[in-house]
Amino acid sequence: MANFPKALLSLLISLSILSFFPLTLSSLVRSPKSASHFLGKFSRRPNHTDSLGAPNYRYEIRYFEQNLDHFSFSNLPKFRQRYLINTENWSGPDKLGPIFFYCGNEGDIEWFAANSGFVWEIAPPFGAMVVFPEHRYYGESMPYGSWNEAYKNATTLAHLTTEQALADFAVLITELKRNLSAQACPVVLFGGSYGGMLAAWMRLKYPHIAIGALASSAPVLEFEDLVPSENFYDIVSNDFKRESVNCFNTIKDSWDVIELEGEKSNGLSYLSETFRFCRYCFECFDLDDDPQGTNGWNWQACTEMVMPTSSSKNTSMFPAYDYDYASDEEWCLENYGVKPRPTWITTEFGGHGFKHALKNFGSNIIFSNGLLDPWSGGSVLEDISETIVALVTEKGAHHLDLRAATAEDPDWLVEQRAAEVKLIQSWLDQYLDKKRKVFDM
Amino acid sequence: MANFPKALLSLLISLSILSFFPLTLSSLVRSPKSASHFLGKFSRRPNHTDSLGAPNYRYEIRYFEQNLDHFSFSNLPKFRQRYLINTENWSGPDKLGPIFFYCGNEGDIEWFAANSGFVWEIAPPFGAMVVFPEHRYYGESMPYGSWNEAYKNATTLAHLTTEQALADFAVLITELKRNLSAQACPVVLFGGSYGGMLAAWMRLKYPHIAIGALASSAPVLEFEDLVPSENFYDIVSNDFKRESVNCFNTIKDSWDVIELEGEKSNGLSYLSETFRFCRYCFECFDLDDDPQGTNGWNWQACTEMVMPTSSSKNTSMFPAYDYDYASDEEWCLENYGVKPRPTWITTEFGGHGFKHALKNFGSNIIFSNGLLDPWSGGSVLEDISETIVALVTEKGAHHLDLRAATAEDPDWLVEQRAAEVKLIQSWLDQYLDKKRKVFDM
């Protein structure tokens, strides 16, 4: 261990955790047991009035009263869902001005708004209103009045589910349109990572509510055995390997060294100091740090978002392990008193037949993915039909396309965004065309 | 009143209540306030080993453990869903034998099975398995162990909702197929009245689970202002008028006479005796009689199934009244302690855009309706696309097509059923064709 380049190892491990989670991915934990290792590792929360030269996104903050349970009539308190809205560029109901609606995911919605420059940048030329609703149980959208109350136990957390979140969106859109006399205005959904899954599923489950969805880096197939459970770590590992085989090998070999060190007396203290864990210093690497309030994901991973993961002995640079549902279930029962429903998401949204359902009953969905992104291994990477298309970039990372444009963007990224704009325009054109035909009749 | 042909009036009123509810319709109450007037008026519960010459439908009775809430992780007791199953004619998983699945509605499932001869009769030539699942909170499928416990209060009734029932079906189908290694076998949905609504909605919300749906007499548009609220009583009234204008007028004029009589001293007693209400005799007309256990519908009408109804002063033979949501809400709050959500069904399943959604995202649905049926006024009466078709019969009644064939069936009914069989065959052919192509690849 004495000869081991500690600083490099520390950096590499941090990188392996950090570098593939530019926006939301890290909170899509791989399994309840490993959840704590992957949560919320972000350097800083971007501000929507960023002093670093990022565009200033202007919005009003509003609140909407939601039913805690849309699918039962249990006598539960309502909660306030926060949403951000900008109507400055909206061409209005008479011109059927579109509504760009970002499906808020597992964190503070202001943070997603600040990191989804693409939506803000393309809204004005489309004459679109922009709405960023917050996902229930995240940010300020807390049932029972506060985070402490909402996260108190399994009973209060019970309604943190994907279907309830989609229903929140459906009700919010419907009421918002009614209030603005904008019933006829088309809604386009956006979302990245889990938000992308929500956008795609919303388009399938509520086709009467939105005309299309840009689902960026959305691992909708990451359930049961739909894709190989090794995908995630294999892709991370290959990313390292393609930059440097040496780097890949160094990391791969490091785990045994670390484990040996940990078995020595004072070994754990030594490792903690080496990796600057927070119990031991102040400028530290806090494994429990969660500035974006994404810790509801542990609950979601323990209930519906059961995504099998394993690390291959041969192809992964991470410690090898097999997927073990039983131990995950045990972890969830111990920590939350809740038993996962590992086959529910596939029952509700489609499993092996998902692509078939997409092809036959869906339309107007973009699945965008960058192949450097480990979550691309659980997403849709080929065109399903003429209007359900995959935009795949070889060098893209986790929903990079949703970020604000910069002068340094490579051509392929500029082209990817242009293709997305073109597709969204085609959905709107088609919608307006149909409306016009009805009007002419 | 002395000159009023009492026996006739009594008969006519009974008829006006009874004759349009040959199977399930009557439980689709028009509004909470009028609910008690329209519930469960059936002469006798048919037996599936009927001695009157009706076919003997053979099935096993099984039970399946369901989550009470599919959309939250509240710590609630599971319940046993009853289902009837017959696999005698099933051609099995190797031959991709189809599964005919009747979406159980608001009553004892054995009763729907006994009255849906069409499903049983066409299953053998298709080599189909037949499954009749019971709707939660009806028949024996009682949460909390018994009817008394399930119907105790608003808290125990809370999970009697349409979305939960659809999720029950989705989970049951998925698990049943898994157990029978029949994952690749196509499922065809059937349903009449509310069951038809469930079949149509299930096809839209769970397209990956079933390849098509026969939605017979399904008033999926009977919400908000999607269709005129006068439709129901206008159609009943026109049915009487087409048989006899005199009859129509007699009934129309009777209400004032009855009201006047009721205002006299002993007038109400006289009316009760005349109409043989149960408080006054033994062979009686029991307004509260509910042999099929359909009384959960009152709850459903007070929560999600808010179907505006009015009776036109000019065109209806019933007492005129305007739809008054406020008084219905009051009734529901008083009687159940629950507040209806009148815009929820349209948000969840589609409102004004329902047909548009159907056309663009649906396929393989038959909406069959008879125009004598007052519920046809809230259903889909024209073809939506090549594969979403309306089969409308001028003289048809409430899901008559689902009943067993008899020697007396008129030609148009025989033809209607033949058209349904042909369409179902085309769905199956198309499905098998696709499967074969994948296999050949």
Side-chain angles (χ1 to χ4, degrees):
Chain A
M1 188 71 185
N3 292 332
F4 201 84
K6 284 181 292 186
L8 177 63
L9 178 63
S10 173
L11 180 69
L12 285 174
I13 292 177
S14 300
L15 274 178
S16 75
I17 298 171
L18 285 171
S19 56
F20 297 95
F21 311 103
L23 183 44
T24 67
L25 165 81
S26 71
S27 50
L28 277 174
V29 294
R30 303 305 309 174
S31 78
K33 271 186 86 175
S34 56
S36 56
H37 305 304
F38 283 93
L39 265 182
K41 300 285 122 253
F42 307 97
S43 54
R44 195 174 303 139
R45 172 179 166 175
N47 192 311
H48 74 280
T49 52
D50 199 311
S51 61
L52 299 174
N56 292 339
Y57 308 129
R58 293 155 55 94
Y59 48 77
E60 271 181 72
I61 296 177
R62 295 189 196 162
Y63 297 88
F64 182 77
E65 200 172 62
Q66 287 281 9
N67 287 314
L68 186 51
D69 194 344
H70 295 283
F71 306 106
S72 94
F73 284 77
S74 303
N75 187 19
L76 293 162
K78 295 192 177 223
F79 76 97
R80 291 200 323 164
Q81 178 175 32
R82 180 168 60 150
Y83 65 101
L84 319 179
I85 185 168
N86 178 317
T87 58
E88 288 172 347
N89 300 294
W90 189 39
S91 55
D94 294 343
K95 292 189 177 172
L96 297 180
I99 298 169
F100 284 1
F101 190 93
Y102 181 94
C103 297
N105 27 332
E106 73 288 17
D108 186 307
I109 193 59
E110 289 202 83
W111 179 62
F112 292 113
N115 282 283
S116 302
F118 178 70
V119 181
W120 297 101
E121 287 168 2
I122 69 167
F126 276 108
M129 179 197 310
V130 175
V131 184
F132 273 77
E134 194 160 61
H135 192 294
R136 53 168 56 200
Y137 288 86
Y138 292 99
E140 291 185 13
S141 299
M142 286 295 158
Y144 304 104
S146 69
W147 186 93
N148 280 341
E149 288 301 313
Y151 279 73
K152 198 155 69 177
N153 55 41
T155 302
T156 58
L157 275 166
H159 296 91
L160 169 48
T161 68
T162 293
E163 304 82 45
Q164 301 281 0
L166 292 180
D168 289 339
F169 295 157
V171 172
L172 176 62
I173 291 172
T174 304
E175 289 304 312
L176 195 63
K177 288 174 90 170
R178 203 190 310 263
N179 284 340
L180 296 167
S181 302
Q183 286 94 337
C185 294
V187 174
V188 178
L189 305 169
F190 296 81
S193 194
Y194 171 51
M197 297 160 82
L198 292 172
W201 287 335
M202 177 117 193
R203 171 70 184 144
L204 283 177
K205 287 286 189 182
Y206 295 89
H208 51 288
I209 292 211
I211 66 158
L214 168 54
S216 181
S217 304
V220 286
L221 303 175
E222 199 87 29
F223 299 93
E224 293 193 54
D225 59 351
L226 303 189
V227 294
S229 60
E230 300 85 11
N231 273 3
F232 185 91
Y233 288 119
D234 277 358
I235 296 174
V236 178
S237 303
N238 283 334
D239 289 344
F240 276 74
K241 199 190 262 176
R242 63 181 275 159
E243 298 302 321
S244 158
V245 174
N246 192 39
C247 170
F248 170 90
N249 286 329
T250 302
I251 297 177
K252 192 169 174 56
D253 294 341
S254 71
W255 310 109
D256 286 344
V257 181
I258 291 173
E259 202 161 318
L260 271 177
E261 185 63 28
E263 286 169 3
K264 293 182 189 166
S265 64
N266 293 324
L268 290 175
S269 303
Y270 173 73
L271 288 171
S272 296
E273 276 172 55
T274 304
F275 295 119
R276 308 185 70 80
F277 293 153
C278 276
R279 233 178 280 172
Y280 300 91
C281 49
F282 291 107
E283 284 200 29
C284 58
F285 186 74
D286 185 358
L287 283 170
D288 298 321
D289 187 28
D290 180 27
Q292 281 72 45
T294 59
N295 48 12
W297 191 261
N298 275 3
W299 168 266
Q300 293 193 253
C302 268
T303 50
E304 298 182 325
M305 295 292 141
V306 182
M307 299 171 163
T309 317
S310 58
S311 180
S312 154
K313 191 170 184 297
N314 299 319
T315 49
S316 162
M317 68 182 187
F318 295 96
Y321 73 91
D322 290 330
Y323 177 61
D324 177 9
Y325 171 72
S327 81
D328 282 356
E329 183 181 292
E330 198 185 316
W331 189 91
C332 295
L333 282 166
E334 270 177 28
N335 286 272
Y336 285 111
V338 75
K339 194 174 166 184
R341 294 178 189 162
T343 62
W344 169 245
I345 286 289
T346 53
T347 301
E348 177 68 8
F349 297 111
H352 288 279
F354 182 69
K355 287 187 188 174
H356 175 82
L358 270 182
K359 181 173 183 171
N360 287 284
F361 314 107
S363 66
N364 298 358
I365 304 179
I366 302 167
F367 286 100
S368 68
N369 280 282
L371 294 183
L372 289 186
D373 173 11
W375 292 104
S376 67
S379 191
V380 176
L381 299 178
E382 74 276 338
D383 289 353
I384 299 291
S385 67
E386 264 187 46
T387 64
I388 301 200
V389 296
L391 294 181
V392 180
T393 54
E394 201 192 323
K395 295 187 180 171
H398 202 49
H399 52 73
L400 184 58
D401 49 339
L402 289 186
R403 289 192 169 265
T406 71
E408 290 78 36
D409 287 337
D411 286 348
W412 55 261
L413 179 57
V414 175
E415 284 161 21
Q416 182 186 14
R417 292 196 184 115
E420 289 168 359
V421 167
K422 203 172 159 191
L423 284 163
I424 293 167
Q425 184 67 61
S426 75
W427 304 340
L428 290 167
D429 287 347
Q430 196 188 23
Y431 178 82
L432 295 177
D433 206 44
K434 270 188 198 162
K435 280 278 162 194
R436 245 177 251 122
K437 273 183 193 145
V438 172
F439 188 76
D440 289 346
M441 278 164 68
Chain B
M1 189 71 185
N3 293 329
F4 199 87
K6 284 180 292 187
L8 178 65
L9 177 62
S10 172
L11 179 69
L12 285 175
I13 293 178
S14 301
L15 275 178
S16 74
I17 297 171
L18 285 172
S19 55
F20 297 95
F21 311 101
L23 182 44
T24 67
L25 166 79
S26 71
S27 50
L28 277 175
V29 295
R30 304 303 309 169
S31 77
K33 271 186 85 175
S34 56
S36 56
H37 305 305
F38 283 94
L39 265 182
K41 298 288 122 247
F42 307 97
S43 54
R44 195 173 305 136
R45 171 179 165 171
N47 191 311
H48 75 277
T49 52
D50 199 312
S51 62
L52 299 173
N56 293 338
Y57 307 129
R58 294 156 53 94
Y59 48 78
E60 269 181 71
I61 297 177
R62 295 190 196 162
Y63 297 86
F64 181 77
E65 198 171 65
Q66 288 280 9
N67 286 315
L68 185 52
D69 194 343
H70 295 283
F71 306 106
S72 92
F73 284 76
S74 303
N75 187 18
L76 293 163
K78 295 192 177 228
F79 76 97
R80 289 201 326 163
Q81 178 175 30
R82 181 168 59 150
Y83 66 100
L84 320 179
I85 184 166
N86 178 315
T87 58
E88 288 172 349
N89 300 293
W90 188 39
S91 54
D94 293 343
K95 291 187 178 173
L96 297 180
I99 298 169
F100 285 1
F101 190 93
Y102 181 93
C103 297
N105 28 331
E106 73 288 17
D108 187 306
I109 193 60
E110 289 203 84
W111 179 61
F112 293 112
N115 282 282
S116 302
F118 177 70
V119 181
W120 297 101
E121 287 167 3
I122 67 168
F126 276 108
M129 178 196 312
V130 175
V131 184
F132 274 76
E134 194 160 60
H135 192 296
R136 54 168 57 199
Y137 287 86
Y138 293 99
E140 292 185 13
S141 300
M142 285 297 160
Y144 306 105
S146 71
W147 186 93
N148 280 341
E149 288 301 313
Y151 278 73
K152 199 157 67 178
N153 54 41
T155 301
T156 58
L157 276 166
H159 296 92
L160 169 47
T161 68
T162 293
E163 303 82 45
Q164 300 283 358
L166 293 180
D168 289 340
F169 296 158
V171 172
L172 176 62
I173 292 172
T174 304
E175 289 303 313
L176 195 63
K177 288 175 87 170
R178 202 191 309 262
N179 285 339
L180 296 167
S181 302
Q183 286 94 337
C185 294
V187 175
V188 177
L189 305 169
F190 296 81
S193 195
Y194 171 51
M197 297 159 82
L198 293 174
W201 287 335
M202 177 118 191
R203 171 70 183 144
L204 283 177
K205 288 286 190 182
Y206 295 89
H208 51 288
I209 291 212
I211 66 158
L214 168 54
S216 181
S217 304
V220 286
L221 303 175
E222 199 86 29
F223 299 92
E224 292 194 57
D225 59 351
L226 303 188
V227 295
S229 60
E230 302 85 11
N231 274 5
F232 186 92
Y233 288 120
D234 277 0
I235 295 174
V236 179
S237 304
N238 283 334
D239 290 344
F240 277 74
K241 198 188 262 175
R242 64 181 275 158
E243 297 303 321
S244 158
V245 174
N246 192 39
C247 170
F248 169 90
N249 287 329
T250 302
I251 296 175
K252 190 167 175 58
D253 294 341
S254 72
W255 309 109
D256 286 344
V257 181
I258 292 172
E259 199 161 321
L260 271 176
E261 186 64 27
E263 285 168 5
K264 292 180 188 167
S265 62
N266 292 324
L268 289 175
S269 302
Y270 173 74
L271 288 171
S272 295
E273 277 172 51
T274 304
F275 295 119
R276 310 184 70 78
F277 294 153
C278 276
R279 232 177 282 172
Y280 300 90
C281 49
F282 293 110
E283 287 203 23
C284 59
F285 185 73
D286 184 358
L287 283 171
D288 298 321
D289 186 29
D290 179 25
Q292 282 71 44
T294 59
N295 48 13
W297 191 260
N298 276 3
W299 168 265
Q300 293 193 253
C302 268
T303 49
E304 299 182 325
M305 296 291 142
V306 182
M307 299 171 163
T309 317
S310 59
S311 179
S312 154
K313 191 169 183 297
N314 299 319
T315 50
S316 162
M317 69 182 188
F318 296 96
Y321 72 92
D322 291 329
Y323 176 61
D324 178 7
Y325 170 72
S327 81
D328 282 357
E329 182 181 292
E330 198 185 316
W331 189 93
C332 294
L333 281 166
E334 269 175 29
N335 286 271
Y336 285 111
V338 75
K339 194 174 167 185
R341 296 178 188 161
T343 62
W344 169 244
I345 286 290
T346 53
T347 300
E348 178 68 8
F349 297 111
H352 289 279
F354 182 69
K355 287 186 188 174
H356 174 82
L358 270 182
K359 182 173 181 172
N360 286 283
F361 314 108
S363 67
N364 297 359
I365 303 179
I366 302 167
F367 286 99
S368 68
N369 280 283
L371 294 183
L372 290 185
D373 173 11
W375 292 105
S376 66
S379 192
V380 176
L381 299 177
E382 74 275 340
D383 290 352
I384 299 290
S385 67
E386 265 188 47
T387 63
I388 302 201
V389 298
L391 295 181
V392 180
T393 55
E394 201 190 325
K395 294 185 179 172
H398 201 50
H399 52 75
L400 184 57
D401 49 338
L402 289 186
R403 288 189 171 268
T406 73
E408 291 78 35
D409 288 336
D411 286 347
W412 54 260
L413 180 56
V414 175
E415 284 162 19
Q416 181 186 14
R417 291 195 185 116
E420 289 167 359
V421 167
K422 203 172 157 190
L423 283 163
I424 292 166
Q425 184 68 61
S426 75
W427 304 339
L428 290 167
D429 287 347
Q430 198 189 22
Y431 177 81
L432 295 177
D433 207 43
K434 269 189 199 160
K435 280 277 164 197
R436 244 177 252 122
K437 272 183 192 147
V438 172
F439 188 75
D440 289 345
M441 277 165 68

